[in-house]
Amino acid sequence: SIAEKENMAAVAVAKQEVTRDLDHCDIPFYVSEFVEREVGNDYDSLRKLDNLIDKLSENKKQLEEQVLTVSSEVPKKIQNALKNAEDSKKALSRLLEEEALLSDSINSHLLKAQPWMEDLDVLISQVEEIERHLAYLKWISRIEELSDSIQQYLMTNNVAEAASTLAFMAELDIKLQESSCSHLLAFVRSTVKFWHKILKDKLSSDFEEVLTQLRWPFVGPPQSQAFGLAAPASGPEVCSNLEMLFCQLLKLQTSDELLTKPKQLPEKYSLPPSPPIILPMQIMLTPLQKRFKYHFTGNKQTNVLNKPEWYLTQVLMWIGNHAKFLDDKIQPILDKAGSSVNAGLEFSRALVMLILEKLAADIPCLLYDDTLFCHLVDEVLLFERELYSVHGYLSSFPSCMHILSEESCFQRWLTVEKKFALQKMDSMLSSEAAWISQYKDITDVDEMKVPDCAETFMTLLLVITDRYKNLPTASRKLQFLGLQKELVDDFRIRLTQVMKEETRASLGFRYCAILNAVNYIATVLADWADNVFFLQLQQAELEVRAESSAVSKLQLGQLASMESSVFDEMINLLERLKHDMLTRQVEHVFREVKDAAKLYKKERWLSLPSQAEQAVMSVSSTACPMLLTLRDRLLQLEEQLCHSLFKIFWQMLAEKVDLYIYQEIIMANHFNEGGAAQLQFDMSRNLFPLFSHYCKRPENYFKHIKEACIILNLNIGSALLLKDVLQSAAEDKTLMPNQPSATAALNELGVYKLAQKDVEILLNLRASWPNTGK
């Protein structure tokens, strides 16, 4: 009705007028929202008002009860809190009063005790000073007692106890090192020095006398060692004296180290720390050191810069001559004394130090004479090799490699190494036999068909590795590794230059020899990458690169996971060169094959007689030039390329020939029954067998041809059925329950490579189809 519409309009206007006051609790807004939600525009729902009023009344009652409850409980809580605060305030006041009383009492006590404390401080300081004086006197008394004991032992000729007492005194000296009593330290040190000199002189004299009786040192031929190693009548007594004096001298080791500063080479040589040579061994080495200095220093004829092998060989002879005596006579004494020293190694270490001093003095004099310097390095490396392999020298000891690792010497070594390596490369590439294999007449050895220049080059790299692998630091080894990489890259560039000269004769002997060389170098470098030595260098290179941030995180990850190697960059360049050269050879042969196949392309496949019309199938005459070309080139390259390269070559060639015959001959012609049979005979009985020497199933490398022949030679019924299946699949019709899918049908025939469209095209290349009425 009109009245209802007017009422609704009035309500709508009222709704629009009631807006929410965001700053205050707007009751009219909430009431309006409530009415709108509960009643809305449905005036029939007004009958719900009774229930709604009851519900609101109940809610109001509950809210009033909650307000009454809260208003009754909150004052109690507040009252309790105030009471607790008052109690806390009173307790704090009491504590403050007690604290003030206690503080006054303490201050009063401190004032009374202050004079006593000052008197006690004076007394305590006096007591501490007396105690220090007493301790000082006790140390002096202790040292004097020990000194008197040593004197008594010497007067009674008890040298062993005197040596033990001196060793104890030396240990006390070490304990006093942190003391600030300089006069006491000087007194102890002077006392140790006094008795050490007396005991050392006495024991050294007696020890040298025993060594003389044993005819030490053994500098002559092995026969002169007979007395020292055999047991003559007086042998037991001499050996007993040797053991006794050796042990007594060992007891002087501590005091000797305190008093004697060992001779050291400059820090630039970065020698590893090593303990001093034991005292008895020093005495045993004295005559040999004198001989060495006499012959190899000064103006003696034996001291010449161009003959480092003289003093190196002399030291090796001395080590060898004395090894048995040291093992049989001296080592048991050391073991019995509880010493961990190895007599032979101790002896070798002392003599090697003579070598190091000699090298440090000589190298600056010949640093810029390439011939002399190179000769010195060669002789030092030979010396090191024998020292480690024959005499068991330890890599943790100072060695000649530390001298060669000194910056100026090492850089000179790198320069000379590179210079002679480049000269060697020039000579090996200019040699008449550079591209001929040394083992060409030995089939089982000449599998890689490596030309002489490549084998010589890799031998050169191997020799360089042997020369630097014992360098003491990874950084030096990495610098040599960098040199090797430079040489590989230089050799690759030289091979590329020679290859470019031979490009027109890409099937020629020299071109194949270059290809064999590239393949051999890449193969050997890949083998080296798995060697423990180069794996260690890879780890060192990873650490260096990680510190310098010179490479990406990806490259660091590859290095760390061993996915790559230190030679990867070189190997990749060589592999690229190898692939380019092989591709050029394949293209060359493939062009010849295409030229020879021109007549075969023009064969009249549509009019050839069927197989039934021929007594015996024979190869197409037009196919013979192509087949002969293939045969001759395969034989030629099998002879000239190594097995792995030839395998890549014939597979690449087979792939190109397969596609060529399929695309240019098969797909470009139509075939009657005879033509299809002739094509299959040419391929399966003539083309495929050319490759049967290199694999068991050569047809698998000619899948396009093989599968095309299958389709072209299907009998009529199978061909019609296949055509129907393919046509149904193309029209996307629903297959009958017993009808196979197109892929399954092709697979059943042995067709896996060709796509369905290609098979449809091949079926249409068949010339004769029966009239099916379609």
Side-chain angles (χ1 to χ4, degrees), residues 150-200:
I150 294 173
Q151 186 175 10
Q152 291 295 327
Y153 288 134
L154 288 178
M155 289 175 66
T156 57
N157 204 28
N158 191 348
V159 180
E161 287 299 326
S164 299
T165 307
L166 179 60
F168 182 71
M169 188 187 295
E171 291 173 3
L172 293 181
D173 187 327
I174 294 171
K175 289 179 181 179
L176 281 169
Q177 292 304 308
E178 296 180 1
S179 172
S180 58
C181 302
S182 57
H183 295 294
L184 178 61
L185 291 175
F187 170 68
V188 176
R189 181 60 58 86
S190 62
T191 307
V192 171
K193 185 176 182 180
F194 175 79
W195 289 117
H196 176 78
K197 185 178 186 308
I198 292 173
L199 284 171
K200 182 179 178 181

Side-chain angles (χ1 to χ4, degrees), residues 373-374 377-378 381 410-423 460 463-465 467-468 480 483 487:
F373 183 78
C374 195
V377 172
D378 289 341
L381 293 174
F410 183 78
Q411 293 304 325
R412 188 62 187 161
W413 184 10
L414 271 179
T415 303
V416 171
E417 202 77 48
K418 182 176 181 179
K419 174 185 174 182
F420 282 101
L422 292 174
Q423 289 177 0
L460 173 66
V463 169
I464 291 175
T465 303
R467 290 161 73 83
Y468 79 82
F480 256 104
L483 170 63
L487 294 176

Side-chain angles (χ1 to χ4, degrees), residues 75-87:
K76 291 180 181 178
K77 292 181 179 179
I78 293 173
Q79 188 176 1
N80 289 335
L82 288 172
K83 186 177 183 303
N84 290 335
E86 288 292 335
D87 292 344

Side-chain angles (χ1 to χ4, degrees), residues 32-98:
S32 174
E33 286 287 318
F34 178 76
V35 172
E36 176 66 23
R37 186 171 62 251
E38 296 294 336
V39 178
N41 296 327
D42 186 7
Y43 297 104
D44 293 336
S45 63
L46 291 175
R47 65 174 63 93
K48 299 178 185 177
L49 285 176
D50 293 339
N51 293 332
L52 191 59
I53 291 169
D54 293 341
K55 183 178 178 182
L56 291 173
S57 299
E58 183 67 27
N59 287 341
K60 178 185 176 185
K61 184 179 179 181
Q62 290 177 358
L63 290 171
E64 287 174 346
E65 288 176 355
Q66 289 177 6
V67 169
L68 289 172
T69 302
V70 170
S71 63
S72 62
E73 288 179 356
V74 168
K76 291 180 181 178
K77 292 181 179 179
I78 293 173
Q79 188 176 1
N80 289 335
L82 288 172
K83 186 177 183 303
N84 290 335
E86 288 292 335
D87 292 344
S88 298
K89 184 177 179 182
K90 290 177 182 179
L92 180 60
S93 298
R94 286 196 302 270
L95 286 173
L96 288 173
E97 290 173 0
E98 291 175 3

Side-chain angles (χ1 to χ4, degrees), residues 745-758:
L746 290 173
N747 291 349
E748 187 176 349
L749 294 172
V751 177
Y752 300 92
K753 181 78 172 178
L754 298 179
Q756 293 181 23
K757 291 183 179 179
D758 293 335

